[in-house]
């Protein structure tokens, strides 16, 4: 009873429901904020505002003050009611004084009953009892108001007996609810099993992607550290070279200056000018006696007879006439920088150098394989090897080792061959027939040379390369996890030709094919 009285005390007089965000007018009455706002909005045109409860009037729209005490009371009351509902569950419809748990629900009366009211309830057949439920109306036909007892399989609907006999489902195939429910549960279990399988596969895929992401992050961190260290080393070398070049320029500039020697030469030039004027005066005299009686001083000496002079310096001590800097040293230093860059350029292709050995058991009988298993040579002489399931019918061979992870590269040199292919393949590649050729199936990828024309091929799809090759060496780079197979020409600088992007699923083996000449896997010492 106390709970019912409190619920009534906490009810808004406008909406008749429990307060929501209660506010208070100056007269002391409380309302929901939304409710009183709507009432005041309707009074805006009249010029006078009034309280819906006591009719007290206000000349201006009254300010709404939030009632924090009432807010707290409403919140505690609602939490208490929710807690009781969890404990008690569905309550008896007829026990209004205090909540009593219901033990059965009557579909006819659409009411839930406690033990006391169940004993007094009607026992007539139309009063069908069920487990306690709050949605009793949903268990009746909306048209005939009868209990739903059957399931129409054609319309996938729950129906009453009248719907089946005379209603819109007349003549349709029906099942009783329990039987239809069991069939539905069986289907749902099958669906559930499939969903469990799909979820397991999804979880496995997520786990795999998480591992791949972690590996990618670790690899990225290593690469970032490597690049940072490389750039730091480049900057250090460039700074050292800059200092060295500037120092050499400064040294040569100082050597060319030699201000003390310039001062001595200026003195000598003035002395020579004075001697020249004295000699010109003697040459202009008309009195022979005066010319001959002139004392024989140093002014009349022949400069070629004077020899080297410590004060003025001889020819051996004269600076060279060019006045230019010696660029040989500077050029050599700058070439050193080019060597640094070349070293960096060759270090771009990170990853392990693959030790490729050719598998003689796969080689076609018109190929000769060298003793070190590094060179395949086309020969007109039939090798007469036994025909096995592993051996290629045509003139190609693959490596014995396969790669299932990591980053690797290997280099090939061609010799006297105008027609060859290099690449990689799955071990499941066909060994006979037209589709066994490298690049002519979906299990191999290759770089193909036909005279002076180059292409990349996969699954018989050819992409011609516009490049003119200047080198007889190529590099094949594999990044298995990234799904990348790349081809490069080993010229200066190294030139990227093409990259296949694939999700690799099997081991990858090196593969060679040629007609004439030979192909050699280059050793890296």
């Amino acid at each position: 009873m106390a709970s019912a009285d409190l619920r009534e005390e906490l009810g808004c007089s406008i909406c008749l429901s429990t307060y929501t965000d209660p506010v208070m007018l100056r007269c002391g009455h409380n309302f929901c904020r939304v409710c009183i706002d709507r009432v005041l909005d309707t009074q805006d045109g009249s010029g006078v505002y009034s309280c819906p409860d006591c009719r007290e009037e206000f000349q201006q729209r009254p300010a709404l003050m939030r009632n924090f005490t009432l807010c707290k009371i409403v919140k505690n009351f609602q939490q208490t009611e929710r807690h009781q509902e969890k404990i008690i569950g569905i309550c008896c419809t007829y026990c209004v004084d205090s909540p009593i748990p219901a033990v059965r629900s009557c579909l006819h009366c659409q009411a839930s009953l406690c033990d006391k009211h169940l004993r007094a309830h009607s026992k007539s057949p139309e009063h069908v009892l069920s487990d306690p439920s709050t949605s009793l109306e949903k268990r009746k036909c909306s048209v005939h108001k009868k209990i739903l007892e059957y399931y129409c399989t054609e319309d996938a609907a729950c129906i009453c007996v009248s719907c089946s006999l005379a209603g819109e489902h007349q003549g349709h195939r029906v099942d009783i609810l329990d039987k239809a429910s069991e069939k539905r549960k069986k289907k749902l279990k099958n669906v559930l099993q499939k969903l469990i399988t799909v979820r397991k596969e999804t979880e496995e895929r997520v786990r795999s992607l998480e591992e791949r992401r972690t590996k990618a992050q670790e690899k990225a961190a290593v690469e970032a550290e490597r690049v940072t260290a490389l750039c730091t080393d480049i900057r250090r070398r460039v700074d050292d070279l800059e200092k060295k070049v500037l120092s050499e320029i400064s040294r040569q500039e100082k050597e060319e200056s030699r201000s003390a020697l310039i001062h001595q030469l200026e003195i000598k030039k003035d002395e020579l000018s004075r001697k020249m004027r004295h000699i010109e005066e003697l040459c202009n005299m008309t009195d022979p006696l005066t010319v001959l009686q002139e004392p024989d001083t140093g002014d009349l000496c022949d400069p070629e007879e004077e020899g080297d002079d410590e004060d003025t310096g001889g020819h051996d001590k004269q600076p060279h006439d060019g006045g230019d800097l010696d660029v040989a040293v500077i050029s050599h230093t700058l070439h050193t920088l080019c060597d640094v860059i070349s070293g960096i350029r060759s270090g771009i292709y990170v990853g392990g150098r693959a030790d490729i050995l050719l598998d003689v058991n796969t080689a076609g009988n018109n190929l000769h394989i060298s003793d070190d298993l590094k060179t395949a040579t086309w020969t007109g002489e039939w090798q007469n090897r036994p025909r096995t399931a592993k051996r290629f019918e045509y003139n190609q061979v693959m490596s014995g080792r396969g790669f299932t992870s990591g980053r690797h590269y290997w280099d090939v040199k061609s010799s006297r061959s105008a027609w060859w292919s290099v690449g990689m393949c799955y071990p499941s590649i066909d060994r006979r027939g037209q589709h066994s050729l490298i690049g002519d199936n979906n299990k191999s990828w290759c770089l193909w040379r036909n005279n002076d024309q180059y292409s990349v091929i996969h699954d018989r799809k050819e992409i011609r390369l516009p490049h003119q090759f200047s080198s007889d060496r190529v590099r094949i780079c594999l990044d298995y996890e990234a799904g990348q197979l790349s081809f490069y020409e080993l010229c200066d600088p190294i030139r990227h030709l093409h990259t296949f992007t694939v999700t690799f699923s099997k081991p990858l083996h090196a593969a060679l094919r040629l007609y004439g000449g030979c192909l050699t896997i280059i050793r890296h010492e």
Side-chain angles (χ1 to χ4, degrees):
M1 186 67 180
S3 178
D5 292 341
L6 182 57
R7 184 183 294 107
E8 183 178 351
E9 291 294 330
L10 296 178
C12 173
S13 60
I14 299 176
C15 65
L16 304 180
S17 299
T18 305
Y19 288 122
T20 302
D21 192 14
V23 294
M24 183 174 61
L25 298 178
R26 288 201 303 270
C27 60
H29 291 104
N30 297 286
F31 307 93
C32 298
R33 181 182 294 275
V34 174
C35 297
I36 190 61
D37 268 334
R38 289 175 181 170
V39 172
L40 296 177
D41 287 342
T42 61
Q43 298 175 355
D44 279 339
S46 63
V48 178
Y49 301 91
S50 62
C51 172
D53 282 353
C54 64
R55 301 300 177 184
E56 181 178 343
E57 295 184 350
F58 309 96
Q59 297 301 318
Q60 295 181 348
R61 181 165 180 150
L64 302 178
M65 297 173 289
R66 189 176 189 187
N67 192 329
F68 290 98
T69 302
L70 191 55
C71 285
K72 187 175 181 181
I73 294 172
V74 170
K75 182 178 180 181
N76 291 336
F77 175 73
Q78 291 174 339
Q79 290 177 346
T80 303
E81 279 199 328
R82 286 195 293 269
H83 181 65
Q84 289 179 345
E85 288 178 358
K86 290 181 180 178
I87 296 175
I88 299 174
I90 299 173
C91 299
C92 177
T93 305
Y94 303 108
C95 294
V96 295
D97 293 339
S98 61
I100 302 296
V103 293
R104 300 290 282 175
S105 292
C106 178
L107 303 181
H108 180 75
C109 301
Q110 297 187 27
S112 298
L113 309 170
C114 65
D115 281 329
K116 176 183 176 182
H117 289 96
L118 180 61
R119 288 194 293 269
H121 190 67
S122 174
K123 301 296 189 294
S124 57
E126 66 268 19
H127 290 270
V128 178
L129 299 176
S130 68
D131 291 334
S133 175
T134 57
S135 56
L136 299 176
E137 186 64 28
K138 295 181 180 179
R139 303 183 68 90
K140 284 190 174 184
C141 175
S142 60
V143 178
H144 304 103
K145 303 302 179 184
K146 293 185 178 181
I147 299 173
L148 301 173
E149 299 178 86
Y150 302 98
Y151 181 77
C152 177
T153 58
E154 295 184 21
D155 296 331
C158 296
I159 61 175
C160 67
V161 63
S162 297
C163 293
S164 176
L165 297 177
E168 60 180 271
H169 300 278
Q170 183 180 3
H172 291 183
R173 182 179 177 181
V174 298
D175 283 332
I176 60 174
L177 290 181
D178 289 343
K179 185 177 180 181
S181 175
E182 289 302 321
K183 290 181 179 179
R184 181 72 180 276
K185 287 180 181 178
K186 186 175 181 180
K187 291 182 179 179
L188 290 176
K189 287 179 180 178
N190 292 333
V191 173
L192 178 61
Q193 189 59 43
K194 292 179 180 178
L195 291 176
I196 291 174
T197 303
V198 173
R199 186 183 67 176
K200 186 176 180 180
E201 292 175 353
T202 304
E203 289 175 348
E204 183 64 24
R205 179 63 175 164
V206 169
R207 185 191 63 78
S208 176
L209 291 175
E210 288 287 350
E211 290 179 356
R212 184 168 180 175
R213 181 177 68 177
T214 301
K215 290 181 180 179
Q217 291 174 343
E218 293 174 353
K219 184 184 294 185
V222 172
E223 289 299 304
E225 183 177 356
R226 186 187 69 84
V227 170
T228 300
L230 185 62
C231 292
T232 300
D233 184 59
I234 292 172
R235 284 192 290 269
R236 180 185 61 78
R237 295 193 186 193
V238 171
D239 289 343
D240 291 346
L241 290 171
E242 180 186 15
K243 292 177 181 178
K244 187 174 181 180
V245 172
L246 293 178
S247 175
E248 179 63 22
I249 293 174
S250 177
R251 185 192 66 78
Q252 293 189 29
E253 187 270 334
K254 290 179 180 179
E255 184 177 325
E256 292 296 329
S257 297
R258 293 197 292 188
S259 57
L261 180 58
I262 294 174
H263 178 67
Q264 292 176 4
L265 293 176
E266 289 289 345
I267 295 175
K268 183 175 181 179
K269 183 186 71 172
D270 292 340
E271 181 65 21
L272 291 173
S273 298
R274 185 185 63 77
K275 290 181 178 181
M276 289 169 59
R277 288 195 298 273
H278 180 64
I279 293 173
E280 288 177 352
E281 291 176 356
L282 291 177
C283 291
N284 292 328
M285 288 182 180
T286 57
D287 183 5
L289 185 60
T290 303
V291 173
L292 294 175
Q293 289 179 345
E294 179 68 25
D296 189 7
T297 63
D299 291 348
L300 303 180
C301 293
D302 188 341
E304 292 184 358
E305 297 175 357
E306 291 182 356
D308 293 340
D309 189 279
E310 290 184 359
D311 295 334
T312 59
H315 294 292
D316 292 339
K317 294 186 179 182
Q318 295 297 319
H320 57 78
D321 296 332
D324 296 329
L325 296 177
D326 186 1
V327 297
V329 176
I330 300 173
S331 297
H332 174 74
T333 306
L334 294 179
H335 279 299
T336 303
L337 179 58
C338 294
D339 294 338
V340 174
I341 296 174
S342 298
I344 295 167
R345 187 183 293 133
S346 63
I348 289 175
Y349 310 105
V350 295
R353 175 177 56 83
D355 186 16
I356 301 294
L357 297 177
L358 301 176
D359 184 359
V360 179
N361 295 323
T362 66
N365 270 310
N366 46 6
L367 290 183
H368 172 74
I369 306 301
S370 62
D371 293 338
D372 63 358
L373 305 180
K374 292 288 185 179
T375 300
T377 304
W378 186 88
T379 174
E381 298 180 4
W382 189 256
Q383 301 298 305
N384 202 27
R385 301 187 187 100
R387 178 172 178 173
T388 64
K390 293 178 61 177
R391 191 172 309 285
F392 284 109
E393 177 184 8
Y394 296 108
N395 47 328
Q396 55 190 27
V397 62
M398 68 184 230
S399 65
R401 176 189 179 186
F403 303 95
T404 58
S405 64
R407 304 172 71 182
H408 313 275
Y409 73 89
W410 52 288
D411 300 338
V412 178
K413 178 181 178 181
S414 64
S415 175
R416 304 184 310 279
S417 177
W419 187 97
W420 50 258
S421 296
V422 295
M424 305 198 83
C425 67
Y426 289 149
S428 57
I429 185 175
D430 291 340
R431 307 306 169 99
R432 285 172 173 73
Q434 188 65 27
H435 295 301
S436 65
L437 299 178
I438 302 170
D440 285 352
N441 49 71
N442 61 1
K443 298 178 181 179
S444 59
W445 300 259
C446 74
L447 171 67
W448 177 48
R449 176 186 177 181
N450 186 3
N451 293 319
D452 291 328
Q453 177 61 53
Y454 292 82
S455 306
V456 288
I457 308 175
H458 169 64
D459 200 13
R460 301 182 67 86
K461 296 181 178 65
E462 178 181 357
I463 300 175
R464 290 183 175 270
L465 302 177
H467 314 294
Q468 292 294 325
F469 274 48
S470 59
S471 173
D472 59 356
R473 302 187 179 198
V474 294
R475 172 168 294 179
I476 300 91
C477 296
L478 170 66
D479 189 335
Y480 196 95
E481 282 77 11
Q484 293 184 338
L485 180 62
S486 302
F487 296 89
Y488 299 86
E489 180 189 5
L490 290 182
C491 51
D492 187 16
I494 292 177
R495 181 168 59 185
H496 173 254
L497 302 175
H498 185 79
T499 294
F500 288 106
T501 301
V502 188
T503 301
F504 297 120
S505 58
K506 298 180 182 65
L508 281 172
H509 293 249
L512 305 177
R513 177 184 171 210
L514 69 158
Y515 185 82
C518 63
L519 291 174
T520 300
I521 299 171
I522 301 173
R523 291 181 177 273
H524 293 272
E525 302 299 338

